[in-house]
Amino acid sequence: MPADPSAGAPPPAGAPQPCGTPPPSRTPPPTGTAPETQVPRLLEAMRSVGSGLELHATLKRICETAVALTGARCAAIGVMAEDGDALVDFVHRGDDEDPCPCGFPAHRPPMRSVLGLPLRVQGEIFGTLYLTKKRGGEPFRDDDLDMVRVLATEAGIAVGNARLYQAARQREHWIDGSVAVTTALLSGGDADEALQVVADRARRLSGSAAGVVLLPAREGGLEIVAVAADGPSGLLGTVVPPQSPLVAELLGGRAVFVEDAAADRRMVTGHARKYGPVMLLPLQSDGRVLGALVMPRARGERPFTETERMLAVQFASQAALALVMAETQRDRERLAVYEDRDRTARDLHDLVIQRLFATGMLLDSARRRTRAPEVRDGVARAVDELDVTIQEIRTAIFALQQGPAEESSGLSTSVLREITMAAVPLGFRPSHRFVGPVDTLVGDLTGKNLVAALREALSNAFRHAGASRIDVVVDATVTLPDGRPGVRLSVADDGVGIPEGGRRSGLRNLRRRAESLGGDSGHGPGIGADGGGTTVVWQVPY
C-alpha cells in the first residue's frame, strides 16, 4: 500500500530522530474489533486534549492521550522554536523509568515500531508527535494511525489556543511591568530607586539572569547605573567605552540582539563571558536616546523568541517615555525650589536685613546717649552681634541665589552641595564633618556612589523621619571588617526612627549600592533623646 504522506514526513531539524524504525504497517485490526468502537474513546480523548490553556500541560495531555488511544508505551512531542531552527521543548510520557526512547538515549536498541505525525498550528508545523513500543510488541495498525491523525488535528487546535492564551498572558505581564515602572518613575521618589525598578522588572519579565540600565557617561560611552541580579554582579559603575560598536548602535536608537555574549567580539567588557543570549535595547522616546536597557541570559539558556523581543522593545519604549515624563516632573519641582529660594532670598534682603540694620542703628543711637558704662558695653556687644548676623544672612542669600554647580571640584564639594539642596525641604541645614583627606583618597566611582547614598539617606530623613537635627559625617580613615581601607558615610537624625513593619526600600537601595562596590550598609539608633531617631552607616572600600 502507498505510504502515508504525513506519517512518513521527516521530523523537523533539531527534533529527536527515531532509528531502526520501519514505517507503520497497514495491519488490519484483529477480528471482532470494529473501528466504530473506538469513536467514544476518541471523542473523550479530544475533550481531554482541549481542556486546558497552559501550553506545557496541554502537550503532556496530548502525550498521555496518545498513549491511551494506541497502546503505545511511550509518546513524545518535540517542539520547535518560532523560527524553526532548533528544538526548544521536549515533552514525553512513558512507562520506563529511564527517559523516553523517542530520541533518547543515544545508544538505545532499535525499536520495532514507531509512528510519527507533525503537529500543525494554522498550517505551520509546531512540533512532531512520536509514538513507539506498542504493547505486546505488535506494529501500529491502520486504526492507530487514523486515530492519531484525528488527535493531531485536535492537538493543533488545542496548542494554538494555548499559544494564544500564553501570548496574551505574556503581554499582560509586560503591560503590568510597564505600569509599575511608570508609577515608580512618576511617584516623585529617588531617581536611582526608579531606575532600579526598571532593571528589576525587565529581568523578571524577560526571564533573564540580570536586568541592567545604562545612562550616558560624562566621559563618553554608557555607564551602568542600576543592576538587578541574584547576587553581587560587580556590574554597577562599569563604563562601556564610546568606541564599542554596541554603544554606537544603542545611541543611534537601534536594538541589538546577541546570540552568545561570550563569543561575540562586540562585547568588550569582561562581564560578558558569563552570559549567553542578550537583548540590548535603546531607551528612546521621540527620537531622543536616554540610555539603554540590557537583559542577558545565562550561558546555555534558550535564545529570546521574536515575541519576547517585540515585547521587550515595547517595554523599553514605555520606560523611556516614563523617564522623560519623570525628568520633566523633576525639572518642574526643581524650578519650584529655585523660585522658592529666590523668594526667600528677596525676603531676607528686603525685610529681615533692613529691620536688623534699623534695629542696630537704634541700639547704636541708644548706646551713645547712655552714660552707664555697663549699658554702653552691653549695647555695643548687641550691635556687633547684629552685624555678624547680617553678614551671615547675606552669605545665605548669596548661596540661595546660586544654582548648583555643574562640575564638582571634589567629593567634599559634592557632599556640601547635597546638604545645601536638602536644607530647603528640611527647613534646616544638616551639620557636616569630614575626617581625613576625602578628596584625595576616595576614587571617582566610590565618590559618585557615596553622594548618591547621601542623597538617598537625606531623602529618607525628610520623607519619613520628621527630624529637627541631622548630622552628616564622611570619614576616609576607616578600616573595613575585611581589613581594607575605606570611606564611611554616617547620616544620623533625631526623628521618629524606623517603624516596625515600615517600608525598607530606601535601606535596601543603600545596601545594594554598597554591596556592588564590595562594602555594606546598616542602621542603628539615632541622636535623639535615649537614642531616638536613626543612624544610617554606609561604608565601602576606596
Side-chain angles (χ1 to χ4, degrees), residues 138-203:
E138 299 177 0
F140 289 104
R141 304 189 302 268
D142 290 350
D143 58 330
D144 293 326
L145 179 61
D146 293 338
M147 284 192 297
V148 173
R149 276 205 191 108
V150 176
L151 179 63
T153 301
E154 181 64 23
I157 298 173
V159 167
N161 292 336
R163 291 177 70 179
L164 289 174
Y165 176 75
Q166 181 174 283
R169 288 293 304 274
Q170 196 174 27
R171 289 176 183 274
E172 180 184 354
H173 292 324
W174 281 93
I175 291 173
D176 289 344
S178 298
V179 171
V181 165
T182 303
T183 302
L185 289 172
L186 299 182
S187 63
D190 184 79
D192 291 334
E193 181 179 348
L195 292 174
Q196 187 64 41
V197 172
V198 175
D200 286 334
R201 289 286 178 167
R203 177 203 174 205

Side-chain angles (χ1 to χ4, degrees), residues 430-432 469-473 490-493 527:
S431 66
H432 67 276
R469 177 188 167 195
I470 297 178
D471 294 341
V472 177
V473 179
S490 301
V491 181
D493 65 63
I527 54 176

Side-chain angles (χ1 to χ4, degrees), residues 302-337:
R302 65 176 179 83
F304 294 97
T305 65
E306 289 297 327
T307 299
E308 288 173 326
R309 294 181 179 187
M310 177 190 66
L311 292 173
V313 168
Q314 294 174 351
F315 174 84
S317 298
Q318 181 64 31
L321 177 60
L323 282 171
V324 171
M325 296 171 63
E327 183 181 16
T328 302
Q329 178 175 296
R330 285 193 294 270
D331 287 342
R332 287 197 301 266
E333 294 172 352
R334 192 177 296 115
L335 179 60
V337 170

Side-chain angles (χ1 to χ4, degrees), residues 15 76 84 114 179 185 236 300-301 313 328 355 374 389 414 462 483 513:
V114 63
V179 171
L185 289 172
L236 191 65
E301 290 289 325
V313 168
T328 302
R355 289 181 180 178
E374 63 275 10
T389 301
S414 300
F462 165 66
R513 184 181 294 278

